[in-house]
Amino acid sequence: MIKPLSKSLKNPQSAREKTYRLLKKQLLTGQLRPNKRLTEEALAKKFGVSRTPVRDALHKLELEGLVKTAGARGFCVPEESFEDMSELFEIRAVLEGHAMACVCKIITQENIQSLKKLVQSAEQAFLSGKSDPIFDYNTQFHDLLYGLLASQKPRLFSIIEDMREYVLRYRKSTLTHPKGIRRSISGHKKILMALDLREPQLCERIMRKHVYEAKEDTLLYKG
Amino acid sequence: MIKPLSKSLKNPQSAREKTYRLLKKQLLTGQLRPNKRLTEEALAKKFGVSRTPVRDALHKLELEGLVKTAGARGFCVPEESFEDMSELFEIRAVLEGHAMACVCKIITQENIQSLKKLVQSAEQAFLSGKSDPIFDYNTQFHDLLYGLLASQKPRLFSIIEDMREYVLRYRKSTLTHPKGIRRSISGHKKILMALDLREPQLCERIMRKHVYEAKEDTLLYKG
DNA sequence: TATTTTTTTTTTGGATACAATATTTTGCTG
DNA sequence: CAGCAAAATATTGTATCCAAAAAAAAAATA
């Protein structure tokens, strides 16, 4: 007999979560362009739910800065701004720099080996002209790195996760350009060296620089 | 003729905002103790509104970590944890350190003078045995300092503001103990010196240390 | 009595109806 | 035709209703 779908409270299948995830995805991937007007009613219809979960999702996204209220005209997608993008990367640089210093103190030799493999895979993909999987290797690298913090520094971890998501909004076509890819890979190699040396302060500096480079590349190859 | 109160959309007098502010205040000041169970219905009755604005407030507070869901038993106030407090201060140290470096680059001589006056006032109050206004001078000092970032780095500014609020939860009785006050005042003096020297990196280090000291004092004189 | 099953209660999730307000449109007046 | 006033419309805020799920309580059974 088929067990009835348990509609748990924090269930990712709840209308609220579903709406939130869908809407967020459309915002981050640019399917909803800046200045696009969003009304609860229209979104509710679009997603096949009532206004309630849409409202919840919109308010949550407003806190994240992914939509903004437009008074009695509903919500709208904020325009992209260099200042905002720049600030996001700057905060990321500071937080991820610190995170790296923390990681440095707890990372095992096995972890470092796994990271090395990822970088090698990325490099091979690059050399053989496949730029598609690079983005994935990149993501895996960072996930593995910061995943080490998930239990010990849950707040830092989740702030970093969130910020990495937000900048996606500004990062649609980076890491497809050879120069950006090269910089990214060599950045990851430096990170590994710093980790090998077990010097927290060096780790922090290297990671800050790495994020700043990512910012520059995002700026450069934008559009 | 008296103009009817315009009940604007983001009005701070809306039921949602009112409920959110009240609830948050009670959480931060400890009127609602850890493990206290919160149900929408009960809070709605208590605040004289319907469940809807209460729900909104609870969800917002959940994102901030000030309440947590307890499944189908509503919400509850999370227990205080040294780890969490410690992490909050650590993140603050990193972010405020960076903020100081930014401030250092744009602060005017007049701003520095205003800050000096605040420190002097605090010191005088301390020497004459009045410890009550110290907390206010302290707050003013930080408000003035970071206020300089409000327009240029709005995200950094608001994250720092939020985090300063959160730690209040753990900081009910600090800055009434002589040792903590002395450390705080001497910390502010060092900050002023670093600003006078216009050395961003020094500013960053000094501020980090200042926040770490605040953490230690909070830990020490807790309860 | 202990354990399992069933029923009842509590509580949130979601939908909808209504109220308040901001915006837009329309119409009037000079 | 421009400018202002008023009506109409669109949209969110709030209250309430119903359903679903979980927790708690009660009942049945070994």
Side-chain angles (χ1 to χ4, degrees):
Chain A
M1 176 188 166
I2 291 171
K3 207 170 145 197
L5 281 180
S6 135
K7 189 154 79 183
S8 138
L9 288 179
K10 266 298 167 191
N11 197 315
Q13 305 192 4
S14 73
R16 181 192 307 165
E17 283 299 313
K18 244 175 30 191
T19 308
Y20 170 74
R21 280 206 319 276
L22 271 168
L23 202 45
K24 185 167 186 172
K25 191 178 165 194
Q26 298 199 352
L27 288 162
L28 290 175
T29 58
Q31 287 173 261
L32 293 170
R33 301 295 307 158
N35 291 320
K36 167 79 179 177
R37 213 174 132 208
L38 306 169
T39 66
E40 296 178 2
E41 194 83 29
L43 290 171
K45 206 170 171 183
K46 177 171 169 183
F47 292 122
V49 293
S50 83
R51 270 180 57 206
T52 308
V54 173
R55 276 183 40 133
D56 290 348
L58 282 171
H59 282 120
K60 201 167 164 187
L61 291 166
E62 193 199 352
L63 287 177
E64 299 178 14
L66 258 47
V67 303
K68 64 172 197 248
T69 70
R73 273 162 56 215
F75 291 77
C76 75
V77 183
E79 290 191 45
E80 299 187 0
S81 105
F82 276 140
E83 288 73 27
D84 185 49
M85 190 213 65
S86 192
E87 203 191 347
L88 281 174
F89 271 101
E90 200 177 312
I91 298 173
R92 266 190 63 199
V94 171
L95 288 175
E96 296 197 23
H98 178 65
M100 259 290 280
C102 297
V103 163
C104 172
K105 293 169 190 158
I106 60 170
I107 197 169
T108 67
Q109 208 56 47
E110 288 75 40
N111 296 144
I112 296 182
Q113 284 309 316
S114 310
L115 289 169
K116 270 192 183 142
K117 277 187 193 133
L118 281 172
V119 176
Q120 280 166 8
S121 304
E123 195 158 30
Q124 277 178 1
F126 174 60
L127 290 176
S128 53
K130 294 173 232 160
S131 64
D132 264 13
I134 306 263
F135 187 81
D136 291 325
Y137 285 128
N138 203 297
T139 307
Q140 280 180 53
F141 185 90
H142 286 261
D143 285 351
L144 181 49
L145 201 57
Y146 297 130
L148 301 172
L149 289 177
S151 57
Q152 280 187 41
K153 315 254 178 180
R155 294 226 188 210
L156 181 59
F157 176 73
S158 80
I159 297 179
I160 288 178
E161 290 284 289
D162 286 346
M163 300 214 61
R164 293 183 63 77
E165 252 187 343
Y166 300 162
V167 298
L168 283 181
R169 175 155 189 265
Y170 293 109
R171 235 200 153 176
K172 311 216 171 76
S173 61
T174 318
L175 280 197
T176 59
H177 297 263
K179 199 174 165 188
I181 296 175
R182 254 200 301 275
R183 278 233 276 192
S184 168
I185 290 175
S186 92
H188 287 180
K189 282 184 182 169
K190 284 182 199 152
I191 287 170
L192 285 172
M193 289 198 291
L195 284 171
D196 255 334
L197 291 170
R198 305 266 173 190
E199 291 193 29
Q201 292 195 356
L202 176 64
C203 285
E204 178 161 8
R205 279 209 309 280
I206 297 269
M207 180 53 93
R208 276 201 192 191
K209 201 171 159 212
H210 180 60
V211 177
Y212 272 107
E213 284 178 359
K215 167 181 151 185
E216 281 171 26
D217 290 338
T218 302
L219 255 167
L220 226 60
Y221 302 119
K222 193 156 165 45
Chain B
M1 177 185 168
I2 291 170
K3 207 170 148 195
L5 281 181
S6 134
K7 191 152 79 183
S8 140
L9 289 179
K10 267 296 168 194
N11 196 316
Q13 307 193 1
S14 74
R16 179 193 307 163
E17 284 298 314
K18 243 175 32 190
T19 307
Y20 170 74
R21 280 206 320 275
L22 270 169
L23 203 45
K24 184 165 186 174
K25 192 180 164 194
Q26 299 199 351
L27 288 162
L28 291 175
T29 59
Q31 287 174 260
L32 293 171
R33 301 295 309 159
N35 290 319
K36 166 80 179 178
R37 209 173 135 212
L38 305 170
T39 66
E40 297 178 2
E41 195 83 28
L43 290 171
K45 208 170 170 185
K46 178 171 167 180
F47 292 123
V49 295
S50 83
R51 270 181 57 207
T52 309
V54 173
R55 273 186 42 158
D56 291 347
L58 283 171
H59 283 122
K60 201 167 164 188
L61 291 166
E62 192 198 353
L63 289 177
E64 299 178 14
L66 258 46
V67 303
K68 66 172 196 249
T69 70
R73 274 163 56 217
F75 291 77
C76 74
V77 182
E79 289 191 45
E80 300 188 359
S81 106
F82 277 140
E83 288 72 29
D84 185 51
M85 190 211 67
S86 193
E87 202 191 349
L88 281 173
F89 272 100
E90 200 176 311
I91 299 173
R92 266 189 63 199
V94 172
L95 288 175
E96 295 196 24
H98 178 65
M100 259 289 281
C102 297
V103 163
C104 172
K105 293 170 190 155
I106 60 170
I107 198 168
T108 66
Q109 208 55 48
E110 288 75 42
N111 295 143
I112 297 183
Q113 283 310 317
S114 309
L115 289 169
K116 270 190 184 146
K117 277 187 193 132
L118 281 172
V119 175
Q120 280 166 8
S121 303
E123 196 159 29
Q124 276 179 0
F126 174 61
L127 291 176
S128 53
K130 293 174 235 161
S131 64
D132 265 14
I134 307 263
F135 187 81
D136 293 324
Y137 285 127
N138 203 295
T139 307
Q140 280 181 52
F141 186 90
H142 286 261
D143 285 352
L144 181 48
L145 201 58
Y146 297 130
L148 302 171
L149 290 176
S151 57
Q152 282 188 42
K153 315 254 177 178
R155 293 226 189 209
L156 182 59
F157 176 73
S158 80
I159 297 178
I160 289 178
E161 291 283 290
D162 286 347
M163 301 214 60
R164 293 183 64 76
E165 251 188 345
Y166 300 162
V167 296
L168 282 182
R169 176 157 187 264
Y170 293 109
R171 234 203 153 175
K172 309 214 172 79
S173 61
T174 319
L175 279 199
T176 58
H177 296 263
K179 200 174 164 188
I181 296 174
R182 254 199 302 275
R183 277 233 276 192
S184 169
I185 289 175
S186 93
H188 287 181
K189 281 184 183 169
K190 284 183 199 149
I191 288 171
L192 285 172
M193 289 198 292
L195 284 170
D196 254 333
L197 291 171
R198 305 267 170 190
E199 289 193 32
Q201 292 195 357
L202 176 64
C203 285
E204 179 162 8
R205 280 209 310 280
I206 297 271
M207 180 55 94
R208 277 201 189 190
K209 203 173 158 209
H210 180 60
V211 177
Y212 272 108
E213 284 178 358
K215 167 181 152 186
E216 283 172 23
D217 291 338
T218 302
L219 257 168
L220 227 59
Y221 303 120
K222 196 157 162 43

